[in-house]
Amino acid sequence: MAKVEELTPQQLSETDLKPRGRVYPSPISWRDQFLYQLVLDRFSDDNENQRELFDHTNLAKFQVKDKAGWMAAGTKFVGGTLRGIKSKLDYLQRLGVTTLWINPPWQQRSELEAYHSDRIQEFLDIDPHFGTRQDLRDLIDAAHDRRMYVILDVIYNQNADNWFHRNDVIAALARVYQYWIALSDCDGLRIDSLKHVSPEDSRKFCTAIREYAESIDKDNFLLTGEITSGSMAGAYIDIIARNFSAVLDIAQTPNELAAFAKGLVHPKQFFDLYSENNLAGEYRQIGTYHVSILDDYEMSFRTNKQRFAAYSNVPHLYEQVAHAVGVQLTMPGIPAIYYGTEQAFDGNEGYHDYSIEGRKFAEDRYIKEAMFGGAFGAFQTADCHFFDIDHPTYLRIAAIARIRNSHDKIGKALRRGHHYLRETSFFNSPFSIPGQGELVAWSQTLFDTEVLMVLNTNGLENRGAEVTVDTYMHPQDSTMTFLYKSDWSDSYLRHPPRDQTVAVQHHNDRRATVRIDLPPSGMAILA
């Protein structure tokens, strides 16, 4: 572990840009990564061994009696730390996560502003709520020891329109974050508040960061952020203009993904986002330039602040949540999940009690539940933690991520292959793209390898169909092997059997198919 200095520079001219210790190289392609976005204050305080594990089969056991106290706790610092994150690297790696995405550790905010402001009071030191500079470096070194990467959030400032009008200001901010790269050895930056910054000034900032990173042999340093463009085509053009690596795909995709996974829309409404008939679809197909989002800590793409699992009463909710992430893991792009999704957190504004607080205030607190418990636990609980490696959602995400992360042809096809939406037929109907609430299939292909995904978007009923596969990759009398089935036992989810196959049928019209049957919200992966 590298040792970093304890004293904070008092002015920018005192910052030392020489890397502290080793410099961990960038990944070859960020398409190979699986990102996990967490809110530092809400993730772990490293004291979970002093609390009981939440029991998802007994939701009332840890529910608070003092709801007013629970609500108030959500507006304050709760207690998560950098050391807490470090203590949970094993939990994250078991899930299949390869990259941590952490909100800024150097922010200092008053309690009521903790999650309701973009004001940064101190650029050059760690907020003491979260730990020390050494804690940050130790966390990143420990992640690198596991071949994991770390991305840090950067907030320009909500007054950026006033800040970014002189080159010296841009250069000064660039030096601040060059300093943090040197100190922490982080692998990328997610840049917030881009709507306040012109493409020209953003490009100058990003170019300065990229040039510094390349000078210390971080040759593929990730620079990403939201671009609130009216169309994703415009956003992708902005990637070049701003010298970005990729854009957070939040303009339309999260809501379309959620609606598709719940069977609320025709599947083409989601899959058309990847159509090569338009510029945005072409870029999504390539996968290099977009980070796939389901939920995040702002939920700016939703009318109300709410997670995917909010307000749901489907009997197989845990599977449904896992398979929404499963879609991300098996489509082009860089998948990113929001902490707590793997435990089916359901945070939403509906937890607000207006008889306690009569006005709408800090409603985003309810999507920033504490994983480690404390006074503001998820599901309106306190004093229990949620790091459950046996949770049905966790197990299924981990099983799918294991396939995606594998170093064989199958894993590479999932990460870098070409996407095809597949036609299906049920009850001898003509082959077509299925409708809302039906069994939907898609493939990722890479040269001579096809990986087939099948999802039952119906949350209440079983579905079965003949599913089209590539005729030339699957000759007569061949079989496809199940790599994942959501109704497998926990033991099989952890250690998949290798002998469950389905025969490929060839038809007179040269179509090749496999027969797939799935339970409500079920999913299968075959190759």
Side-chain angles (χ1 to χ4, degrees), residues 145-214:
D145 286 344
R146 294 170 175 261
R147 299 184 179 180
M148 300 170 77
Y149 301 94
V150 179
I151 298 167
L152 300 177
D153 262 6
V154 168
I155 296 180
Y156 278 144
N157 189 272
Q158 58 184 341
N159 295 318
D161 280 335
N162 298 324
W163 285 38
F164 283 84
H165 64 278
R166 300 195 323 271
N167 283 338
D168 60 330
V169 175
I170 298 172
L173 280 176
R175 187 174 179 92
V176 166
Y177 295 113
Q178 290 165 350
Y179 167 74
W180 281 112
I181 297 168
L183 187 83
S184 71
D185 199 34
C186 66
D187 306 288
L189 300 176
R190 177 264 192 172
I191 304 170
D192 196 8
S193 300
L194 278 173
K195 63 185 177 181
H196 299 297
V197 186
S198 71
E200 294 77 16
D201 288 335
S202 179
R203 181 175 65 253
K204 291 171 185 175
F205 176 84
C206 291
T207 298
I209 296 297
R210 191 177 299 285
E211 287 183 352
Y212 172 73
E214 290 181 347

Side-chain angles (χ1 to χ4, degrees), residues 476-518:
Q476 189 75 41
D477 301 323
S478 63
T479 62
M480 296 188 76
T481 300
F482 284 97
L483 306 176
Y484 169 81
K485 284 190 73 177
S486 56
D487 56 354
W488 275 345
S489 66
D490 289 1
S491 176
Y492 273 9
L493 288 170
R494 295 188 184 94
H495 306 286
R498 300 183 181 275
D499 59 352
Q500 295 195 9
T501 62
V502 60
V504 178
Q505 303 294 327
H506 281 249
H507 303 257
N508 292 334
D509 60 357
R510 292 188 166 185
R511 185 186 296 271
T513 65
V514 290
R515 172 71 192 193
I516 305 295
D517 295 276
L518 292 173

Side-chain angles (χ1 to χ4, degrees), residues 36 39-45 48 51-52 54 70 73-81 115 307 338-340 342-343 345-347 364-387:
Y36 185 93
V39 176
L40 205 167
D41 179 56
R42 306 295 165 107
F43 185 63
S44 170
D45 65 354
E48 289 81 9
R51 307 182 189 99
E52 289 187 60
F54 177 72
W70 179 80
T75 66
K76 304 173 183 178
F77 284 104
V78 178
T81 63
Y115 293 97
R307 290 178 177 260
Y338 185 44
Y339 84 100
E342 75 281 9
Q343 302 292 333
F345 280 12
D346 68 349
D364 56 349
R365 80 185 91 166
Y366 301 109
I367 57 168
K368 296 183 174 74
E369 312 97 306
M371 279 278 286
F372 61 89
F376 192 68
F379 308 111
Q380 202 173 304
T381 64
D383 299 322
C384 62
H385 74 86
F386 298 87
F387 293 97

Side-chain angles (χ1 to χ4, degrees), residues 34 36-37 43 91-92 95 97 307 318 321-322 325 337-345 371 386-388 390-398:
F34 175 19
Y36 185 93
Q37 181 190 22
F43 185 63
Y91 167 89
L92 294 169
L95 183 61
V97 169
R307 290 178 177 260
Y318 294 152
V321 175
V325 177
I337 69 166
Y338 185 44
Y339 84 100
T341 300
E342 75 281 9
Q343 302 292 333
F345 280 12
M371 279 278 286
F386 298 87
F387 293 97
D388 185 359
D390 298 317
H391 190 284
T393 304
Y394 180 101
L395 279 175
R396 285 161 177 78
I397 293 174

